[in-house]
Amino acid sequence: MSDQHSPIRSFGRLKSRPIKPRQAALLETLLPKVRVPPGPVESQGLMPAARETWLEIGFGGGEHMAAQADLHPDVLVLGAEPFHNGVASALRHLDERGLANVRLHDGDVRDLTGRLADASLARIFILFPDPWPKSRHHKRRLVQEGAVAEFARLLAPGGRLRFASDWAHYVDWSLQRIAANPAFRWTAENADDWRTPPADHITTRYEEKRLGDCAPVFLDFVRN
């Protein structure tokens, strides 16, 4: 399948270490309450008073997603993550903060985005996704031309897309593909705009581990 037509797809492990008892209990009790229901996804049905709807693709342990939802209680925050342990961790954050404005999709993000209407999102976050550094695995990267086209469909005019990574090649790869789509405008005006975390960014424990080959880079785009 060519890069241009590659859909959004989640790759990687679905489960690793044993899940702690408290988180396992939340998978049984809380997840069914906050899981995005089947069928077309409409904010009016999930959160009638929502000012906007945001999506985080691959929320990891859920720290950033939960913190943003806590800071913006009038925003419906959708999160997609196939990694079972990450979902369990996110549920703990939702439970501890008592958040009522988050809905989770515990699976491939394509199953969620395909049910979202055109121009239904105000923000999309893709933060430190799996870089798939080996050349033969680049086709597994989330950011492909087809995925960028889907982001453009989902974002309303003036909506924002943020990509962050600490792998230099993935940063260059993503910048080329997103900037090549005329629906997006890169907001950076100088080097500090991508080297310095945005004012509204929430640093996570994963980010602090610095597992990549460069300092974190933040690419912000606006939907034309």
Side-chain angles (χ1 to χ4, degrees), residues 111-195:
D111 300 331
L112 175 61
T113 56
R115 297 186 283 124
L116 291 169
D118 295 357
S120 58
L121 300 178
R123 299 197 71 174
I124 296 176
F125 297 95
I126 306 170
L127 306 179
F128 303 93
D130 194 321
W132 295 105
K134 295 181 180 179
S135 296
R136 67 177 183 271
H137 291 153
H138 286 176
K139 63 184 178 181
R140 297 186 176 187
R141 287 177 168 175
L142 173 66
V143 178
Q144 308 284 350
E145 290 180 16
V148 175
E150 181 72 344
F151 302 153
R153 179 186 74 82
L154 294 171
L155 282 170
R160 291 175 289 167
L161 168 64
R162 175 172 296 162
F163 173 89
S165 178
D166 52 5
W167 287 86
H169 186 272
Y170 201 4
V171 171
D172 292 341
W173 166 287
S174 300
L175 178 58
Q176 290 174 8
R177 282 154 180 77
I178 301 173
N181 189 310
F184 289 104
R185 175 177 59 85
W186 188 25
T187 63
E189 297 180 352
N190 55 64
D192 283 345
D193 289 337
W194 68 80
R195 293 174 179 169

Side-chain angles (χ1 to χ4, degrees), residues 2-192:
S2 68
D3 177 42
Q4 183 176 1
H5 299 291
S6 297
I8 302 174
R9 184 176 180 186
S10 304
F11 291 92
R13 301 170 301 165
L14 296 183
K15 187 178 180 180
S16 62
R17 64 185 183 280
I19 294 175
K20 297 177 180 179
R22 178 189 173 193
Q23 295 180 0
L26 290 173
L27 286 169
E28 296 293 329
T29 59
L30 182 56
L31 181 57
K33 299 177 182 178
V34 301
R35 180 183 278 131
V36 178
V41 180
E42 298 181 359
S43 61
Q44 291 86 353
L46 297 177
M47 184 178 169
R51 172 176 57 86
E52 295 179 343
T53 302
W54 298 358
L55 170 64
E56 183 164 345
I57 300 176
F59 55 71
E63 293 173 88
H64 175 272
M65 176 181 62
Q68 292 286 5
D70 203 7
L71 289 170
H72 304 278
D74 58 343
V75 171
L76 171 63
V77 180
L78 305 177
E81 174 61 61
F83 188 39
H84 205 54
N85 296 73
V87 174
S89 175
L91 290 171
R92 176 176 62 83
H93 290 299
L94 302 189
D95 184 56
E96 290 177 349
R97 294 174 179 261
L99 298 174
N101 59 326
V102 179
R103 296 294 181 270
L104 304 183
H105 176 71
D106 51 326
D108 193 313
V109 69
R110 293 179 302 173
D111 300 331
L112 175 61
T113 56
R115 297 186 283 124
L116 291 169
D118 295 357
S120 58
L121 300 178
R123 299 197 71 174
I124 296 176
F125 297 95
I126 306 170
L127 306 179
F128 303 93
D130 194 321
W132 295 105
K134 295 181 180 179
S135 296
R136 67 177 183 271
H137 291 153
H138 286 176
K139 63 184 178 181
R140 297 186 176 187
R141 287 177 168 175
L142 173 66
V143 178
Q144 308 284 350
E145 290 180 16
V148 175
E150 181 72 344
F151 302 153
R153 179 186 74 82
L154 294 171
L155 282 170
R160 291 175 289 167
L161 168 64
R162 175 172 296 162
F163 173 89
S165 178
D166 52 5
W167 287 86
H169 186 272
Y170 201 4
V171 171
D172 292 341
W173 166 287
S174 300
L175 178 58
Q176 290 174 8
R177 282 154 180 77
I178 301 173
N181 189 310
F184 289 104
R185 175 177 59 85
W186 188 25
T187 63
E189 297 180 352
N190 55 64
D192 283 345

